[in-house]
Amino acid sequence: MRIVHPLRSARVALLWGGLSFSALGDQLYAVALTWIAVGVFGRNAGYLSALQALAVLLAVLGIGRWADRWDQLRSMIGADLARACALAAAVALWLTFGGPTAAQLIGVIVLLAVGQAVFQPALQAVLASLVSDADMLPAANGLLDATDRSARLLGPGLVALLAGAVPLAHFLTLDAFSFLVSAAALLLITRLRPRLPATRSTERGSVWFSITRGVRAMMSHPLLGYCLAVTGLLNGTWYGVFFLGLPLMIAQHSAAGAGLGGYGFVLSAYGCTNLLATVFFGSRHLPARPQFQMFGGNIVIGVGLALLGLAGLLPGPWLLPGFAAAAGLGAIGGPMKDIPLAVLRQTRLRPADRAAGMRAYLAANSAGILLAMLLMPGAIELAGVQRMIMACSLIYLAVGVVGLALHAGWVEPSGGHRA
């Protein structure tokens, strides 16, 4: 279990513990909010996710000039505290006025998106400074990746168990508490010695320079450049399937035990194999030619999405098990591509460019989600949810095959840059 070796460091252990609570709270929030939105807006619920993606995109593009000069660890603490306050305020208003208003939902979505735009790039810079041995970065990334994967397993399962006992408003309360736990863990890290290396940038430049800096850094490496170019397309596709297509497809089959509990069950199945794959790939060294694992992961996800669409043809008693099996298979591909990508970003980019590179990646992902959530409601109206999911599977398959065709012969140059 090489993946747990980074926990020997107290600072990594604190980081992982805080992120575990935060990720679990995020899943409770995400599943509950998705179900509320689908119940109220139907297929148009995707526009709320589009709004969230737009908020992240604008925050990522606008905040870089200042964020690179902030202390990254303290930026993470501030982002956690701000998100906890936003959720607590939303719950208070919900309980006071008897239900969430559109303005409240939009406000929470925007504030949490801005917090994410600050937190995620800072995390990339901080993690590399916490791990003293670069050879342990795959394990450290796998360990933190397992935070999200285990949350995808436990969070939806908890939603399924608590759906009848916990008011929807208090799923947001639980998420706010999880942010406070994460902030406390990060604060403890700042109290530990020796002092962390500086992760902020001292460079100055225009707003445009700060926006394009991460893109330039990523495009300087062939694999990172290709992944940046396609990540928006892939992330938008994945998000549209699991946060719009899947709940709509489940809701269409209410006689088969569908509902919020059924949705949570399928997402838990996804989380189970996702976590197991993370433990496996996080325990391995970075391959000498990581492109085969990375683009193979895209192909595995594409196969899983194709089977997810076909599962909608199964008879009633087999419907949810079919969805769960297909989602579980596709989930294996995520860690296959994500862990090598994170390690390459942390080791092939200069320390001062790591947060900027992650912001470029986050901006592309947000743009992909924004575009997907604007287009998919219309696509579902024209073609149906099942055909939409099948089309999404072809996107993943095409990106994986083209990536292998373009980069099959690529080898890291001898003496290539390693930050």
Side-chain angles (χ1 to χ4, degrees), residues 133-216:
D133 182 3
D135 192 49
M136 291 303 297
L137 272 175
N141 280 284
L143 181 67
L144 295 191
D145 214 14
T147 301
D148 289 328
R149 315 294 182 182
S150 59
R152 289 175 187 168
L153 170 62
L154 297 175
L158 284 176
V159 171
L161 291 174
L162 301 176
V166 176
L168 280 176
H170 289 308
F171 285 109
L172 276 64
T173 303
L174 292 172
D175 193 20
F177 176 74
S178 74
F179 282 128
L180 293 177
V181 172
S182 175
L186 294 169
L187 186 60
L188 287 174
I189 292 175
T190 66
R191 299 291 186 263
L192 293 178
R193 296 293 186 269
R195 187 175 178 84
L196 289 176
T199 53
R200 71 181 79 182
S201 171
T202 58
E203 294 183 46
R204 297 291 189 269
S206 65
V207 173
W208 178 248
F209 175 85
S210 70
I211 291 173
T212 59
R213 174 182 174 179
V215 175
R216 294 195 304 270

Side-chain angles (χ1 to χ4, degrees), residues 391-407:
C392 289
S393 73
L394 295 178
I395 292 174
Y396 263 95
L397 292 171
V399 167
V401 171
V402 171
L404 287 174
L406 292 176
H407 301 97

